[in-house]
């Protein structure tokens, strides 16, 4: 028994010595399993193109495209060497998709796979495309774009972005738009939708979401919102015509001027329209001849309209 304890103690000491030697020689690495264990490495690619006309994103990382003093691109990957292609200002950025689980010790720094593209101030991009080949969140900040195609497999965030052509067939997980201007918006989201201080005034817009929808201080010509088990919150928006909002199994809350027209219906819930309230009545209409109209419907939830 004593001999076994001594051997165990010696093996423990030997293990500690080997661990110390490994740490001292930078031996602690992030590893991943992909047909066997592999050590994750840091691969980077960078470029400073003289001009950027268009951008196509096909990366396995989160991407930030922003306005800055000069053009620059930097991509980081843990799988293989990223690729930056420049065809007379037509930029394509590609990196492999991380489809495995990695492991690292808490006192080691995991590889941060990111793509950061800076577009020189004053540039108007002909086109920016983040299609289904873009596996990661996309954030666009302070850009002017003629045409935007956005269908990333991740979240989409636009801040201070001006788009000349209508935003059509936009899809994402969570979607956040702040100070975005375009003729109209057609959006399908599987997560939350938040729109603040934006303008879509040329033609009708459409938003479909399976989570909550919040629109604040936004100008719309007209539009339709379809929610599934979603709460819809509309606050201090400006309508040229009619906004239709429908949800299955969620509440609808609207803050607007009392000069607005409101037509509401709930299958199971309470109605509060300015100073009028009823728990049993299913429908109510207010100011049917107003130019700005809200048509609100929920199958199971309350509808509340308050004065701004």
């Amino acid at each position: 028994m004593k001999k076994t304890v001594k051997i165990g103690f010696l093996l423990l000491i030997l293990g500690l010595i080997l661990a110390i030697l490994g740490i001292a020689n930078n031996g602690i690495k992030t590893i991943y399993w992909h047909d066997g264990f592999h050590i994750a490495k840091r691969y980077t690619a960078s470029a400073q193109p003289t001009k950027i006309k268009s951008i196509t994103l096909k990366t396995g990382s989160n991407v930030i495209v922003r306005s800055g003093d000069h053009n620059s691109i930097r991509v980081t990957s843990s799988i293989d060497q990223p690729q930056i292609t420049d065809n007379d200002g037509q930029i394509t950025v590609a990196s492999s998709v991380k489809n495995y689980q990695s492991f690292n010790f808490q006192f080691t720094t995991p590889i941060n796979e990111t793509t950061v593209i800076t577009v020189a101030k004053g540039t108007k991009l002909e086109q920016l495309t983040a299609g289904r080949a873009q596996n990661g969140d996309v954030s666009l900040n302070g850009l002017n774009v003629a045409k935007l195609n956005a269908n990333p497999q991740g979240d989409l965030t636009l801040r201070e972005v001006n788009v000349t052509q209508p935003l059509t067939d936009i899809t994402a997980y969570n979607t956040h738009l702040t100070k975005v201007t375009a003729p109209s918006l057609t959006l399908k989201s599987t997560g939350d939708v938040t729109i603040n201080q934006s303008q879509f005034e040329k033609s009708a817009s459409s938003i479909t979401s399976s989570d909550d929808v919040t629109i604040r201080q936004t100008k719309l010509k007209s539009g339709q919102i379809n929610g599934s088990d979603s709460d819809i919150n509309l606050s201090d928006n400006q309508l040229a015509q009619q906004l239709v909002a429908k949800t299955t199994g969620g509440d609808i809350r609207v803050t607007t001027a009392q000069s607005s027209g409101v037509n509401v219906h709930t299958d199971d819930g309470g109605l509060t329209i300015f100073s009028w309230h009823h728990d049993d009545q299913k429908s109510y209409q207010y100011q049917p001849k107003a130019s700005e109209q809200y048509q609100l419907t929920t199958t199971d939830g309350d509808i509340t309209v308050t004065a701004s």
Side-chain angles (χ1 to χ4, degrees), residues 143-169:
L143 300 177
N144 288 309
V145 187
K147 184 177 182 181
L148 174 61
N149 302 311
N151 313 104
Q153 299 192 56
D155 296 343
L156 177 65
T157 301
L158 309 183
R159 179 179 291 276
E160 296 183 359
V161 175
N162 296 316
V163 185
T164 304
Q165 297 186 26
L167 288 170
T168 57
D169 299 325

Side-chain angles (χ1 to χ4, degrees), residues 1-283:
M1 184 67 180
K2 289 182 179 181
K3 185 177 180 181
T4 302
V5 172
K6 288 180 180 180
I7 293 172
F9 182 74
L10 290 173
L11 290 174
L12 176 62
I13 295 298
L14 179 60
L16 289 173
I17 292 171
L18 292 174
I20 292 170
L21 289 173
I23 293 172
N25 288 276
N26 197 27
I28 297 181
K29 303 285 187 180
T30 299
I31 60 173
Y32 64 91
W33 175 269
H34 181 67
D35 295 330
F37 283 109
H38 301 272
I39 297 174
K41 299 179 181 179
R42 183 184 301 275
Y43 300 93
T44 62
S46 61
Q48 293 187 333
T50 56
K51 58 184 176 182
I52 299 180
K53 294 180 180 179
S54 70
I55 298 171
T56 300
L57 302 173
K58 298 180 179 181
T59 80
S61 67
N62 296 335
V63 177
I64 298 172
V65 185
R66 63 192 182 187
S67 177
D69 294 332
H70 58 271
N71 296 327
S72 67
I73 304 169
R74 183 172 178 83
V75 192
T76 303
S77 174
S78 65
I79 304 176
D80 54 20
Q81 185 64 35
Q83 301 296 321
I84 300 172
T85 305
D86 182 355
N87 183 12
D88 191 30
Q90 312 289 337
I91 306 296
T92 300
V93 182
S95 64
S96 297
V97 179
K98 179 180 177 181
N99 55 4
Y100 54 80
Q101 293 294 322
S102 60
F103 171 80
N104 65 288
F105 292 92
Q106 290 186 349
F107 45 87
T108 64
T109 303
I111 296 172
N112 185 19
E113 300 186 62
T114 57
T115 299
V116 179
I117 302 174
T118 302
V119 179
K121 294 177 182 177
T123 301
K124 183 171 183 178
L125 297 173
E126 296 173 359
Q127 184 166 302
L128 195 156
T129 300
R132 300 303 291 170
Q134 170 53 37
N135 287 264
D137 300 342
V138 174
S139 176
L140 310 180
N141 302 288
L143 300 177
N144 288 309
V145 187
K147 184 177 182 181
L148 174 61
N149 302 311
N151 313 104
Q153 299 192 56
D155 296 343
L156 177 65
T157 301
L158 309 183
R159 179 179 291 276
E160 296 183 359
V161 175
N162 296 316
V163 185
T164 304
Q165 297 186 26
L167 288 170
T168 57
D169 299 325
I170 304 297
T171 62
Y173 298 163
N174 297 309
T175 307
H176 304 280
L177 311 182
T178 301
K179 295 183 179 179
V180 175
T181 300
S184 62
L185 170 66
T186 303
L187 167 66
K188 293 183 180 180
S189 175
T190 56
D192 291 336
V193 174
T194 304
I195 302 175
N196 292 305
Q197 297 175 289
S198 296
Q199 300 179 45
F200 309 105
E201 300 182 85
K202 300 298 183 181
S203 56
S205 295
S206 173
I207 298 170
T208 302
S209 177
S210 54
D211 215 321
D212 296 342
V213 177
T214 301
I215 304 178
R216 304 185 188 94
Q217 298 178 341
T218 291
K219 296 180 179 180
L220 297 161
K221 180 178 182 180
S222 62
Q224 181 154 340
I225 302 170
N226 293 300
S228 176
D229 293 325
S230 310
D231 291 338
I232 298 176
N233 297 279
L234 309 172
S235 179
D236 297 321
N237 300 296
Q238 296 182 37
L239 306 179
Q241 298 174 4
Q242 178 177 261
L243 180 61
V244 178
K246 299 179 180 180
T247 183
T248 57
D251 299 330
I252 301 177
R253 299 179 183 86
V254 177
T255 301
T256 186
Q258 286 190 265
S259 59
S260 301
V262 180
N263 190 348
V264 299
H265 177 84
T266 179
D267 291 339
D268 184 11
L271 301 177
T272 300
I273 312 301
F274 300 120
S275 59
W276 182 90
H277 173 76
H278 209 290
D279 287 327
D280 299 320
Q281 187 167 323
K282 294 184 180 296
S283 301

